[in-house]
């Protein structure tokens, strides 16, 4: 397999170089699409179906790396860039030269190159912001999904997904699929589990009872959050709870011989624990965000620079475990669907100002109680949440 695709690189890099250089076309972006929702389900399959799906993933992974190599070579040697449409137009020639790519649906191969193009567009956007991060070649483990669009798949009896040249996946339907299916993504997790995601549009929006109440939220590490009503949500610290087990499994993995079956088994155990931690965290964040979206019309949160905060070597693990960024993103997405509003406010002084009189009361991180000369005595985080609410109601900063 490796020899075949070494030859493929040489042929594409030399024999088809003129085709890849001169087929240029402008990439016109389509109009902005409506908001869609994604429904993800656990999938089970026969070993023959799994073998075929893994073969598709391997071919998609190879095409992704070839497309990236092509862009690098053209720019490095000829100072020429190549558009997405030019690469798409070369797929028929690639299939004629190497028939194994005909096993994969044409729209799946197109999505691979579209995915690569999106990666470059994100890179160019980062460059405008003064950031780096050039697209990297993907290993087999990092390329774990393929996407089908209008054809090549069919739902059978609502709980079976049949894919041409692959086989059938049995879906565990935890909830019905709503709306019109636009794309189907099949993903293999590092634990060996298979998942199928349906991206749908025209999904009926969830509607909650009308509410005129506003709330301010202050996130933290001692407590996950404290709101302006004085409600406290404890920080579950899922990663910290599993650190001992994780350390033992990682130590066991480090002792295994590279390439051995025992190392693969130990690696899967580590992946399963990480997956469990991520699932626990997402379940917790979904429940908390749902409760606030259901009860409040406007939710004020602090505009935290989490990327900078996480560089603190003493608090980085705790901040990552709390996942404030994921929580804020869930709030934003759910609010947009439910007709609620999530607004960011500048966090300057929310912890130091008195929520009752506005006087500045300097405090260190170890001071957990706010005590003001006006007689206001509150929990530090509750005082901050009240300030977030007050500032948000007067100086709103739209959620970006």
């Amino acid at each position: 397999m490796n020899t075949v695709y070494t030859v493929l690189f040489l042929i594409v890099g030399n024999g088809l170089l003129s085709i890849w250089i001169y087929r240029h076309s402008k990439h016109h972006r389509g109009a902005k699409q409506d908001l869609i929702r994604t429904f993800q389900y656990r999938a089970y399959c026969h070993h023959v179906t799994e073998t075929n799906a893994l073969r598709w993933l391997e071919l998609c992974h190879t095409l992704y790396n070839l497309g990236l190599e092509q862009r690098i070579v053209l720019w490095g040697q000829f100072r020429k860039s190549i558009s997405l449409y030019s690469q798409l137009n070369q797929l028929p020639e690639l299939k004629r030269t190497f028939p194994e790519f005909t096993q994969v649906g044409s729209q799946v191969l197109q999505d691979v190159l579209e995915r690569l193009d999106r990666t470059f567009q994100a890179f160019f956007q980062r460059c405008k912001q003064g950031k780096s991060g050039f697209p990297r070649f993907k290993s087999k483990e990092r390329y774990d999904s393929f996407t089908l669009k209008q054809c090549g798949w069919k739902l059978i009896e609502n709980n079976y997904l049949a894919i041409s040249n692959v086989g059938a996946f049995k879906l565990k339907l935890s909830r019905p699929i709503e709306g019109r299916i636009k794309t189907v993504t099949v993903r293999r997790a590092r634990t060996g589990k298979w998942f199928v995601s349906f991206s749908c549009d025209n999904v009926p929006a969830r509607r909650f009872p009308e509410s005129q109440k506003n709330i301010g939220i202050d996130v933290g590490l001692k407590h996950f959050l404290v709101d302006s009503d004085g409600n406290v949500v404890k920080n579950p610290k899922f990663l910290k709870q599993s650190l001992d087990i994780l350390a033992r499994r990682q130590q066991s993995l480090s002792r295994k011989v590279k390439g051995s079956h025992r190392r693969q088994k130990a690696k899967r155990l580590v992946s399963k624990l990480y997956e469990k931690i991520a699932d626990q965290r997402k379940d917790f964040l979904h429940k908390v965000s749902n409760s606030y979206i259901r009860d409040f019309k406007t939710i004020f949160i602090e505009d935290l620079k989490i990327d900078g905060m996480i560089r603190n070597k003493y608090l980085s693990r705790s901040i990552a475990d709390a996942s404030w960024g994921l929580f804020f993103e869930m709030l934003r997405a759910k609010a947009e669907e439910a007709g609620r509003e999530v607004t960011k406010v500048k966090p300057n002084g929310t912890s130091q100002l008195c929520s009752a009189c506005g006087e500045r009361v300097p405090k260190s991180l170890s001071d957990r109680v706010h005590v003001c000369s006006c007689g206001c005595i509150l929990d530090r985080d509750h005082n901050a949440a009240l300030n977030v609410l007050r500032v948000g109601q007067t100086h709103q900063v739209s959620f970006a």
Side-chain angles (χ1 to χ4, degrees), residues 144-353:
D144 57 2
S145 67
F146 58 85
T147 299
L148 303 102
K149 297 180 182 178
Q150 293 90 351
C151 61
W153 61 273
K154 183 179 180 181
L155 277 177
I156 304 175
E157 299 177 358
N158 292 328
N159 63 335
Y160 282 90
L161 174 68
I163 301 177
S164 300
N165 297 330
V166 175
F169 289 88
K170 183 178 180 180
L171 307 178
K172 185 177 180 181
L173 291 178
S174 54
R175 54 179 174 168
I177 304 174
E178 301 178 7
R180 182 180 59 179
I181 300 174
K182 300 292 289 183
T183 62
V184 179
T185 301
V186 180
R187 180 176 67 88
R188 184 178 187 270
R190 293 193 177 186
T191 56
K193 298 178 182 178
W194 289 91
F195 296 90
V196 176
S197 300
F198 298 91
S199 294
C200 308
D201 62 3
N202 298 330
V203 179
R206 292 187 301 170
R207 293 299 176 187
F208 296 107
E210 290 294 330
S211 174
Q212 299 300 323
K213 296 189 295 183
N214 299 335
I215 195 79
I217 291 178
D218 178 72
V219 294
L221 296 178
K222 180 181 179 181
H223 306 299
F224 177 72
L225 67 81
V226 178
D227 63 35
S228 54
D229 288 347
N231 300 312
V232 177
V233 178
K234 294 182 178 180
N235 189 355
K237 300 180 181 179
F238 294 114
L239 176 60
K240 185 176 181 179
Q241 292 177 5
S242 302
L243 279 179
D244 292 340
I245 301 176
L246 182 61
R248 289 197 295 271
R249 292 188 180 184
Q250 288 177 329
Q251 288 170 0
S252 175
L253 172 63
S254 66
R255 291 193 292 266
K256 300 297 187 291
V257 178
K258 290 186 177 181
S260 66
H261 291 292
R262 289 188 176 183
R263 183 177 177 85
Q264 291 298 323
K265 183 178 179 181
K267 191 174 184 178
R268 181 165 295 185
L269 287 175
V270 174
S271 298
K272 283 185 176 181
L273 184 55
Y274 274 120
E275 183 182 67
K276 179 182 178 181
I277 295 170
D279 289 343
Q280 288 177 319
R281 185 181 293 128
K282 285 188 290 187
D283 179 70
F284 166 75
L285 296 177
H286 273 300
K287 290 176 178 177
V288 175
S289 57
N290 277 335
S291 66
Y292 280 97
I293 295 298
R294 182 181 60 249
D295 297 334
F296 298 96
K297 178 182 178 181
T298 305
I299 302 170
F300 298 101
I301 59 176
E302 291 180 300
D303 186 13
L304 299 177
K305 306 301 181 185
I306 300 177
D307 290 342
M309 298 172 66
I310 209 168
R311 296 194 184 107
N312 186 319
K313 64 179 181 180
Y314 301 106
L315 300 177
S316 59
R317 178 189 288 172
S318 298
I319 294 174
D321 194 12
S323 295
W324 299 331
L326 180 57
F327 174 64
F328 292 158
E329 179 60 26
M330 285 184 179
L331 278 178
R332 184 202 61 79
K334 295 176 189 293
E336 189 171 7
E337 178 188 0
R340 308 300 204 200
E341 183 180 355
V342 175
T343 302
K344 283 185 175 180
V345 302
K346 295 181 180 179
N348 299 339
T350 54
S351 297
Q352 306 297 329
L353 297 177

Side-chain angles (χ1 to χ4, degrees), residues 54-238:
L54 290 174
R55 174 65 171 167
W56 274 34
L57 285 176
E58 186 175 7
L59 290 169
C60 290
H61 147 260
T62 301
L63 177 61
Y64 182 95
N65 286 341
L66 285 171
L68 175 57
E69 181 68 16
Q70 180 195 26
R71 290 185 178 228
I72 294 174
V73 170
L74 286 178
W75 182 257
Q77 297 185 5
F78 303 96
R79 281 298 184 266
K80 291 181 177 291
S81 60
I82 185 169
S83 69
L84 168 63
Y85 285 170
S86 295
Q87 290 188 314
L88 292 176
N89 289 336
Q90 295 163 30
L91 284 177
E93 184 70 26
L94 182 66
K95 290 181 180 180
R96 286 192 292 270
T97 307
F98 298 96
E100 57 266 39
F101 281 94
T102 60
Q103 302 173 16
V104 185
S106 59
Q107 291 187 350
V108 175
L109 297 178
Q110 292 170 12
D111 180 76
V112 173
L113 296 178
E114 290 170 0
R115 188 182 301 188
L116 174 63
D117 185 68
R118 289 194 296 269
T119 303
F120 269 92
Q121 296 304 323
F123 165 67
F124 296 145
Q125 189 65 32
R126 289 194 297 271
C127 289
K128 293 179 181 178
Q129 301 171 358
K131 300 178 182 179
S132 58
F134 189 81
R136 298 184 297 170
F137 292 99
K138 288 187 180 291
S139 64
K140 291 182 180 180
E141 290 185 347
R142 293 183 60 232
Y143 200 100
D144 57 2
S145 67
F146 58 85
T147 299
L148 303 102
K149 297 180 182 178
Q150 293 90 351
C151 61
W153 61 273
K154 183 179 180 181
L155 277 177
I156 304 175
E157 299 177 358
N158 292 328
N159 63 335
Y160 282 90
L161 174 68
I163 301 177
S164 300
N165 297 330
V166 175
F169 289 88
K170 183 178 180 180
L171 307 178
K172 185 177 180 181
L173 291 178
S174 54
R175 54 179 174 168
I177 304 174
E178 301 178 7
R180 182 180 59 179
I181 300 174
K182 300 292 289 183
T183 62
V184 179
T185 301
V186 180
R187 180 176 67 88
R188 184 178 187 270
R190 293 193 177 186
T191 56
K193 298 178 182 178
W194 289 91
F195 296 90
V196 176
S197 300
F198 298 91
S199 294
C200 308
D201 62 3
N202 298 330
V203 179
R206 292 187 301 170
R207 293 299 176 187
F208 296 107
E210 290 294 330
S211 174
Q212 299 300 323
K213 296 189 295 183
N214 299 335
I215 195 79
I217 291 178
D218 178 72
V219 294
L221 296 178
K222 180 181 179 181
H223 306 299
F224 177 72
L225 67 81
V226 178
D227 63 35
S228 54
D229 288 347
N231 300 312
V232 177
V233 178
K234 294 182 178 180
N235 189 355
K237 300 180 181 179
F238 294 114

Side-chain angles (χ1 to χ4, degrees), residues 353-367:
L353 297 177
C354 177
S355 58
C357 66
E359 182 182 350
R360 178 172 294 275
V361 182
K363 294 182 286 293
S364 64
L365 286 175
S366 60
D367 297 326

